[in-house]
Amino acid sequence: MKISNKWLLAALLPVMAACGNQNNQTDNELAIPVSVQDVKKSSIVQYVSTTGTTKAASEATLSTEMAGNYYLQRNPKTGHPFRLGDKVEKGQTIVKLEDEEYKNGVSLETKKLNYEIAKLEYEKQQSLYEKGGVTLREVKNSEVSLSQAKQDYENAQLQLAKMDIRTPFTGILVNLPDYTNGTRVASGTAVATLMDYNTLNMEVNLPEKNLSVVKVGQDVDITNYTLPEDTLSGKISELSPVVSSETRTFIGKIRIDNPDLKLRPGMFVKADIQVARRDSAIVIPKDIIVSGSRGKTVYIVVKGAAQQRVIETGLENANEVQVTSGLKANDRVVTKGFETLRNRSKVKVVK
């Protein structure tokens, strides 16, 4: 039986269409979904990370220099007796001691009168000397008496000043032992501890491999788990040139700016020392790099297909790496889905 060409063509068209649909479907299924980001130039910082415990830049324990009856003073800012956490100014009296017997023995008023009399006598002798009424020797004797009286008066003031426990610098009261007002305390009794932690210090031990890269003056980023959103600024202030033979580390000291008092003395913090920085560099996420026989590679998307690029890297930190060759600005680098890619794999870009 003879079959016409027209009939044969009509019979084959549905089959060809079905095969075409099947091929298109296969192509769509082979396109691997990936996420991409445009490569941009930005800054990257390389760190040396360490940890340590913060200490106040200034700390003082205030103790009595004499025995006396203890009286805690009132904070003029609050109207209440001084409390833990109160800010105090330099020279402010925290505690007063009272001892009438000691005060009488100092005889401040008597010494003040003696000083005033000696001063008047000296001025009188000077006036008489100018008129020829006394000798130079008499003037000098009155000057010696004045000097001695002045010294006695000033020493009496210093002795009475010991009855006032004053702050040597502006800071925060961090310890205030409880004593009942009127209780007699002995000489050398600690009555308060004061700290200034607007600036903090921290000592760290750094591995000897970092001896050549960590320098005095480098910036340091300071973080603490209680302040997850805050990064404070610090600087390397001192470095020991000696490496410990036991620990193979060297000592570094960091000075931390703490103007809002967010960090407290005794806190355990992380310090990221900025040892190198590059601006206007090609920077990509560190976790998208694949290491293999060809070296370090990443994938970029060009016209719906993946292209494998061999790259060389420079500075790096915990999350990012600098690419020194192999990529250029505006390349579309694959950030998700690269694990199953091969060179020239068909890809479908998704968000």
Side-chain angles (χ1 to χ4, degrees), residues 80-112:
H80 299 291
F82 282 105
R83 298 171 178 172
L84 291 177
D86 280 358
K87 181 179 180 180
V88 293
E89 303 298 327
K90 180 180 179 180
Q92 198 162 6
T93 299
I94 303 299
V95 172
K96 278 183 176 290
L97 299 178
E98 291 187 3
D99 188 322
E100 288 301 321
E101 183 178 353
Y102 176 81
K103 187 175 180 180
N104 290 337
V106 171
S107 302
L108 180 66
E109 292 301 322
T110 300
K111 291 180 172 63
K112 181 180 179 182

mmCIF file of all heavy atoms in Angstrom, residues 80-112:
data_model
loop_
_atom_site.group_PDB
_atom_site.id
_atom_site.type_symbol
_atom_site.label_atom_id
_atom_site.label_comp_id
_atom_site.label_asym_id
_atom_site.label_seq_id
_atom_site.Cartn_x
_atom_site.Cartn_y
_atom_site.Cartn_z
ATOM 1 N N HIS A 80 21.624 62.309 98.941
ATOM 2 C CA HIS A 80 21.709 61.095 99.765
ATOM 3 C C HIS A 80 23.161 60.833 100.135
ATOM 4 O O HIS A 80 24.085 61.319 99.480
ATOM 5 C CB HIS A 80 21.158 59.891 99.004
ATOM 6 C CG HIS A 80 19.722 60.030 98.611
ATOM 7 N ND1 HIS A 80 18.693 60.017 99.526
ATOM 8 C CD2 HIS A 80 19.137 60.187 97.385
ATOM 9 C CE1 HIS A 80 17.534 60.151 98.896
ATOM 10 N NE2 HIS A 80 17.779 60.259 97.596
ATOM 11 N N PRO A 81 23.395 60.044 101.179
ATOM 12 C CA PRO A 81 24.768 59.625 101.460
ATOM 13 C C PRO A 81 25.364 58.938 100.240
ATOM 14 O O PRO A 81 24.653 58.313 99.444
ATOM 15 C CB PRO A 81 24.610 58.651 102.634
ATOM 16 C CG PRO A 81 23.334 59.059 103.298
ATOM 17 C CD PRO A 81 22.437 59.529 102.194
ATOM 18 N N PHE A 82 26.665 59.064 100.055
ATOM 19 C CA PHE A 82 27.329 58.455 98.908
ATOM 20 C C PHE A 82 27.018 56.963 98.841
ATOM 21 O O PHE A 82 26.944 56.274 99.853
ATOM 22 C CB PHE A 82 28.841 58.671 98.985
ATOM 23 C CG PHE A 82 29.260 60.058 98.580
ATOM 24 C CD1 PHE A 82 29.641 60.985 99.528
ATOM 25 C CD2 PHE A 82 29.260 60.432 97.241
ATOM 26 C CE1 PHE A 82 30.027 62.266 99.162
ATOM 27 C CE2 PHE A 82 29.639 61.709 96.854
ATOM 28 C CZ PHE A 82 30.019 62.635 97.825
ATOM 29 N N ARG A 83 26.810 56.495 97.587
ATOM 30 C CA ARG A 83 26.467 55.100 97.350
ATOM 31 C C ARG A 83 27.380 54.519 96.284
ATOM 32 O O ARG A 83 28.020 55.247 95.514
ATOM 33 C CB ARG A 83 25.013 54.981 96.874
ATOM 34 C CG ARG A 83 23.983 55.473 97.878
ATOM 35 C CD ARG A 83 22.618 55.512 97.231
ATOM 36 N NE ARG A 83 21.573 55.931 98.165
ATOM 37 C CZ ARG A 83 20.326 56.197 97.820
ATOM 38 N NH1 ARG A 83 19.949 56.074 96.551
ATOM 39 N NH2 ARG A 83 19.436 56.575 98.721
ATOM 40 N N LEU A 84 27.385 53.180 96.196
ATOM 41 C CA LEU A 84 28.108 52.511 95.128
ATOM 42 C C LEU A 84 27.565 52.970 93.776
ATOM 43 O O LEU A 84 26.356 53.079 93.579
ATOM 44 C CB LEU A 84 27.963 50.993 95.244
ATOM 45 C CG LEU A 84 28.660 50.325 96.428
ATOM 46 C CD1 LEU A 84 28.356 48.834 96.419
ATOM 47 C CD2 LEU A 84 30.150 50.559 96.385
ATOM 48 N N GLY A 85 28.478 53.226 92.840
ATOM 49 C CA GLY A 85 28.071 53.662 91.509
ATOM 50 C C GLY A 85 27.987 55.165 91.348
ATOM 51 O O GLY A 85 27.828 55.653 90.228
ATOM 52 N N ASP A 86 28.090 55.925 92.460
ATOM 53 C CA ASP A 86 28.054 57.386 92.365
ATOM 54 C C ASP A 86 29.310 57.899 91.669
ATOM 55 O O ASP A 86 30.420 57.420 91.917
ATOM 56 C CB ASP A 86 27.958 58.026 93.751
ATOM 57 C CG ASP A 86 26.544 58.012 94.304
ATOM 58 O OD1 ASP A 86 25.636 57.539 93.582
ATOM 59 O OD2 ASP A 86 26.340 58.473 95.442
ATOM 60 N N LYS A 87 29.113 58.896 90.812
ATOM 61 C CA LYS A 87 30.255 59.585 90.216
ATOM 62 C C LYS A 87 30.690 60.704 91.145
ATOM 63 O O LYS A 87 29.856 61.471 91.634
ATOM 64 C CB LYS A 87 29.897 60.149 88.842
ATOM 65 C CG LYS A 87 31.069 60.847 88.161
ATOM 66 C CD LYS A 87 30.684 61.381 86.784
ATOM 67 C CE LYS A 87 31.882 62.081 86.123
ATOM 68 N NZ LYS A 87 31.535 62.615 84.787
ATOM 69 N N VAL A 88 31.978 60.815 91.396
ATOM 70 C CA VAL A 88 32.514 61.852 92.280
ATOM 71 C C VAL A 88 33.589 62.628 91.542
ATOM 72 O O VAL A 88 34.271 62.109 90.654
ATOM 73 C CB VAL A 88 33.087 61.238 93.573
ATOM 74 C CG1 VAL A 88 31.975 60.640 94.417
ATOM 75 C CG2 VAL A 88 34.132 60.179 93.273
ATOM 76 N N GLU A 89 33.722 63.904 91.916
ATOM 77 C CA GLU A 89 34.705 64.763 91.282
ATOM 78 C C GLU A 89 36.013 64.742 92.060
ATOM 79 O O GLU A 89 36.057 64.397 93.238
ATOM 80 C CB GLU A 89 34.169 66.197 91.193
ATOM 81 C CG GLU A 89 32.847 66.333 90.466
ATOM 82 C CD GLU A 89 32.907 65.893 89.016
ATOM 83 O OE1 GLU A 89 33.975 66.073 88.390
ATOM 84 O OE2 GLU A 89 31.903 65.356 88.511
ATOM 85 N N LYS A 90 37.075 65.116 91.376
ATOM 86 C CA LYS A 90 38.386 65.182 92.023
ATOM 87 C C LYS A 90 38.348 66.159 93.199
ATOM 88 O O LYS A 90 37.827 67.259 93.083
ATOM 89 C CB LYS A 90 39.446 65.631 91.010
ATOM 90 C CG LYS A 90 40.837 65.733 91.596
ATOM 91 C CD LYS A 90 41.845 66.173 90.541
ATOM 92 C CE LYS A 90 43.240 66.303 91.131
ATOM 93 N NZ LYS A 90 44.240 66.727 90.115
ATOM 94 N N GLY A 91 38.882 65.737 94.348
ATOM 95 C CA GLY A 91 38.955 66.589 95.527
ATOM 96 C C GLY A 91 37.702 66.594 96.379
ATOM 97 O O GLY A 91 37.641 67.311 97.381
ATOM 98 N N GLN A 92 36.713 65.783 96.023
ATOM 99 C CA GLN A 92 35.464 65.740 96.784
ATOM 100 C C GLN A 92 35.646 64.910 98.055
ATOM 101 O O GLN A 92 36.289 63.867 98.052
ATOM 102 C CB GLN A 92 34.355 65.139 95.909
ATOM 103 C CG GLN A 92 32.957 65.430 96.401
ATOM 104 C CD GLN A 92 31.928 65.216 95.297
ATOM 105 O OE1 GLN A 92 32.243 64.749 94.210
ATOM 106 N NE2 GLN A 92 30.694 65.563 95.585
ATOM 107 N N THR A 93 35.070 65.405 99.169
ATOM 108 C CA THR A 93 35.175 64.700 100.450
ATOM 109 C C THR A 93 34.110 63.612 100.529
ATOM 110 O O THR A 93 32.918 63.888 100.431
ATOM 111 C CB THR A 93 35.015 65.673 101.625
ATOM 112 O OG1 THR A 93 36.054 66.653 101.560
ATOM 113 C CG2 THR A 93 35.116 64.937 102.955
ATOM 114 N N ILE A 94 34.564 62.371 100.706
ATOM 115 C CA ILE A 94 33.666 61.218 100.793
ATOM 116 C C ILE A 94 33.340 60.905 102.253
ATOM 117 O O ILE A 94 32.197 60.634 102.617
ATOM 118 C CB ILE A 94 34.301 59.983 100.126
ATOM 119 C CG1 ILE A 94 34.649 60.273 98.677
ATOM 120 C CG2 ILE A 94 33.352 58.781 100.211
ATOM 121 C CD1 ILE A 94 33.468 60.625 97.827
ATOM 122 N N VAL A 95 34.363 60.936 103.081
ATOM 123 C CA VAL A 95 34.226 60.589 104.502
ATOM 124 C C VAL A 95 34.944 61.649 105.340
ATOM 125 O O VAL A 95 36.034 62.111 104.975
ATOM 126 C CB VAL A 95 34.823 59.192 104.794
ATOM 127 C CG1 VAL A 95 34.857 58.914 106.304
ATOM 128 C CG2 VAL A 95 34.033 58.112 104.069
ATOM 129 N N LYS A 96 34.333 62.021 106.461
ATOM 130 C CA LYS A 96 34.979 62.901 107.438
ATOM 131 C C LYS A 96 35.242 62.115 108.721
ATOM 132 O O LYS A 96 34.426 61.290 109.123
ATOM 133 C CB LYS A 96 34.095 64.104 107.749
ATOM 134 C CG LYS A 96 34.175 65.247 106.752
ATOM 135 C CD LYS A 96 33.318 66.412 107.213
ATOM 136 C CE LYS A 96 33.465 67.612 106.274
ATOM 137 N NZ LYS A 96 34.808 68.240 106.388
ATOM 138 N N LEU A 97 36.390 62.391 109.317
ATOM 139 C CA LEU A 97 36.716 61.831 110.626
ATOM 140 C C LEU A 97 36.643 62.937 111.673
ATOM 141 O O LEU A 97 37.020 64.082 111.392
ATOM 142 C CB LEU A 97 38.114 61.215 110.625
ATOM 143 C CG LEU A 97 38.354 60.058 109.644
ATOM 144 C CD1 LEU A 97 39.803 59.600 109.741
ATOM 145 C CD2 LEU A 97 37.410 58.898 109.928
ATOM 146 N N GLU A 98 36.154 62.587 112.864
ATOM 147 C CA GLU A 98 36.088 63.561 113.948
ATOM 148 C C GLU A 98 36.862 63.029 115.147
ATOM 149 O O GLU A 98 36.719 61.855 115.512
ATOM 150 C CB GLU A 98 34.637 63.848 114.328
ATOM 151 C CG GLU A 98 33.868 64.609 113.253
ATOM 152 C CD GLU A 98 32.485 65.035 113.712
ATOM 153 O OE1 GLU A 98 32.166 64.779 114.900
ATOM 154 O OE2 GLU A 98 31.737 65.598 112.893
ATOM 155 N N ASP A 99 37.679 63.914 115.736
ATOM 156 C CA ASP A 99 38.450 63.582 116.939
ATOM 157 C C ASP A 99 38.826 64.900 117.601
ATOM 158 O O ASP A 99 39.784 65.569 117.193
ATOM 159 C CB ASP A 99 39.699 62.780 116.570
ATOM 160 C CG ASP A 99 40.420 62.238 117.794
ATOM 161 O OD1 ASP A 99 40.489 62.955 118.816
ATOM 162 O OD2 ASP A 99 40.923 61.102 117.723
ATOM 163 N N GLU A 100 38.070 65.282 118.625
ATOM 164 C CA GLU A 100 38.276 66.576 119.271
ATOM 165 C C GLU A 100 39.648 66.674 119.925
ATOM 166 O O GLU A 100 40.288 67.730 119.887
ATOM 167 C CB GLU A 100 37.174 66.815 120.311
ATOM 168 C CG GLU A 100 35.814 67.105 119.719
ATOM 169 C CD GLU A 100 35.819 68.333 118.816
ATOM 170 O OE1 GLU A 100 36.503 69.318 119.174
ATOM 171 O OE2 GLU A 100 35.174 68.297 117.753
ATOM 172 N N GLU A 101 40.114 65.593 120.523
ATOM 173 C CA GLU A 101 41.428 65.616 121.165
ATOM 174 C C GLU A 101 42.533 65.872 120.144
ATOM 175 O O GLU A 101 43.437 66.682 120.367
ATOM 176 C CB GLU A 101 41.671 64.289 121.884
ATOM 177 C CG GLU A 101 42.983 64.242 122.654
ATOM 178 C CD GLU A 101 43.186 62.930 123.389
ATOM 179 O OE1 GLU A 101 42.247 62.107 123.418
ATOM 180 O OE2 GLU A 101 44.290 62.733 123.930
ATOM 181 N N TYR A 102 42.428 65.216 119.009
ATOM 182 C CA TYR A 102 43.418 65.419 117.944
ATOM 183 C C TYR A 102 43.346 66.857 117.425
ATOM 184 O O TYR A 102 44.374 67.513 117.220
ATOM 185 C CB TYR A 102 43.150 64.429 116.819
ATOM 186 C CG TYR A 102 44.049 64.593 115.607
ATOM 187 C CD1 TYR A 102 45.325 64.054 115.600
ATOM 188 C CD2 TYR A 102 43.606 65.284 114.481
ATOM 189 C CE1 TYR A 102 46.156 64.198 114.487
ATOM 190 C CE2 TYR A 102 44.417 65.436 113.371
ATOM 191 C CZ TYR A 102 45.699 64.894 113.376
ATOM 192 O OH TYR A 102 46.511 65.052 112.281
ATOM 193 N N LYS A 103 42.115 67.331 117.223
ATOM 194 C CA LYS A 103 41.918 68.673 116.696
ATOM 195 C C LYS A 103 42.496 69.717 117.642
ATOM 196 O O LYS A 103 43.149 70.681 117.215
ATOM 197 C CB LYS A 103 40.422 68.911 116.470
ATOM 198 C CG LYS A 103 40.096 70.213 115.753
ATOM 199 C CD LYS A 103 38.605 70.279 115.469
ATOM 200 C CE LYS A 103 38.255 71.585 114.738
ATOM 201 N NZ LYS A 103 36.802 71.664 114.458
ATOM 202 N N ASN A 104 42.270 69.534 118.957
ATOM 203 C CA ASN A 104 42.817 70.483 119.939
ATOM 204 C C ASN A 104 44.335 70.441 119.933
ATOM 205 O O ASN A 104 45.000 71.474 120.108
ATOM 206 C CB ASN A 104 42.277 70.170 121.332
ATOM 207 C CG ASN A 104 40.793 70.496 121.454
ATOM 208 O OD1 ASN A 104 40.252 71.313 120.703
ATOM 209 N ND2 ASN A 104 40.114 69.833 122.386
ATOM 210 N N GLY A 105 44.893 69.252 119.764
ATOM 211 C CA GLY A 105 46.349 69.132 119.760
ATOM 212 C C GLY A 105 46.989 69.814 118.564
ATOM 213 O O GLY A 105 48.124 70.308 118.659
ATOM 214 N N VAL A 106 46.286 69.867 117.465
ATOM 215 C CA VAL A 106 46.815 70.545 116.277
ATOM 216 C C VAL A 106 46.876 72.052 116.486
ATOM 217 O O VAL A 106 47.776 72.738 115.980
ATOM 218 C CB VAL A 106 45.963 70.182 115.042
ATOM 219 C CG1 VAL A 106 46.344 71.034 113.847
ATOM 220 C CG2 VAL A 106 46.112 68.708 114.712
ATOM 221 N N SER A 107 45.900 72.601 117.232
ATOM 222 C CA SER A 107 45.865 74.044 117.577
ATOM 223 C C SER A 107 45.944 74.927 116.337
ATOM 224 O O SER A 107 46.796 75.823 116.238
ATOM 225 C CB SER A 107 47.009 74.391 118.534
ATOM 226 O OG SER A 107 46.949 73.616 119.711
ATOM 227 N N LEU A 108 45.061 74.689 115.396
ATOM 228 C CA LEU A 108 45.080 75.451 114.152
ATOM 229 C C LEU A 108 44.878 76.939 114.385
ATOM 230 O O LEU A 108 45.607 77.776 113.823
ATOM 231 C CB LEU A 108 44.002 74.913 113.199
ATOM 232 C CG LEU A 108 43.908 75.637 111.852
ATOM 233 C CD1 LEU A 108 45.176 75.410 111.039
ATOM 234 C CD2 LEU A 108 42.681 75.163 111.063
ATOM 235 N N GLU A 109 43.906 77.301 115.210
ATOM 236 C CA GLU A 109 43.612 78.717 115.422
ATOM 237 C C GLU A 109 44.798 79.431 116.064
ATOM 238 O O GLU A 109 45.124 80.569 115.703
ATOM 239 C CB GLU A 109 42.354 78.860 116.282
ATOM 240 C CG GLU A 109 41.072 78.415 115.589
ATOM 241 C CD GLU A 109 40.805 79.201 114.313
ATOM 242 O OE1 GLU A 109 41.081 80.422 114.312
ATOM 243 O OE2 GLU A 109 40.356 78.594 113.325
ATOM 244 N N THR A 110 45.440 78.766 117.022
ATOM 245 C CA THR A 110 46.600 79.372 117.683
ATOM 246 C C THR A 110 47.722 79.607 116.683
ATOM 247 O O THR A 110 48.342 80.687 116.658
ATOM 248 C CB THR A 110 47.099 78.464 118.819
ATOM 249 O OG1 THR A 110 46.053 78.300 119.771
ATOM 250 C CG2 THR A 110 48.322 79.077 119.505
ATOM 251 N N LYS A 111 47.975 78.630 115.860
ATOM 252 C CA LYS A 111 49.047 78.753 114.874
ATOM 253 C C LYS A 111 48.708 79.808 113.822
ATOM 254 O O LYS A 111 49.604 80.500 113.296
ATOM 255 C CB LYS A 111 49.320 77.403 114.228
ATOM 256 C CG LYS A 111 49.963 76.405 115.184
ATOM 257 C CD LYS A 111 50.211 75.075 114.522
ATOM 258 C CE LYS A 111 51.039 74.151 115.412
ATOM 259 N NZ LYS A 111 50.359 73.795 116.670
ATOM 260 N N LYS A 112 47.428 79.944 113.514
ATOM 261 C CA LYS A 112 47.014 80.987 112.584
ATOM 262 C C LYS A 112 47.281 82.373 113.171
ATOM 263 O O LYS A 112 47.786 83.270 112.478
ATOM 264 C CB LYS A 112 45.530 80.815 112.243
ATOM 265 C CG LYS A 112 45.012 81.855 111.256
ATOM 266 C CD LYS A 112 43.532 81.631 110.950
ATOM 267 C CE LYS A 112 43.026 82.693 109.978
ATOM 268 N NZ LYS A 112 41.570 82.528 109.701
#
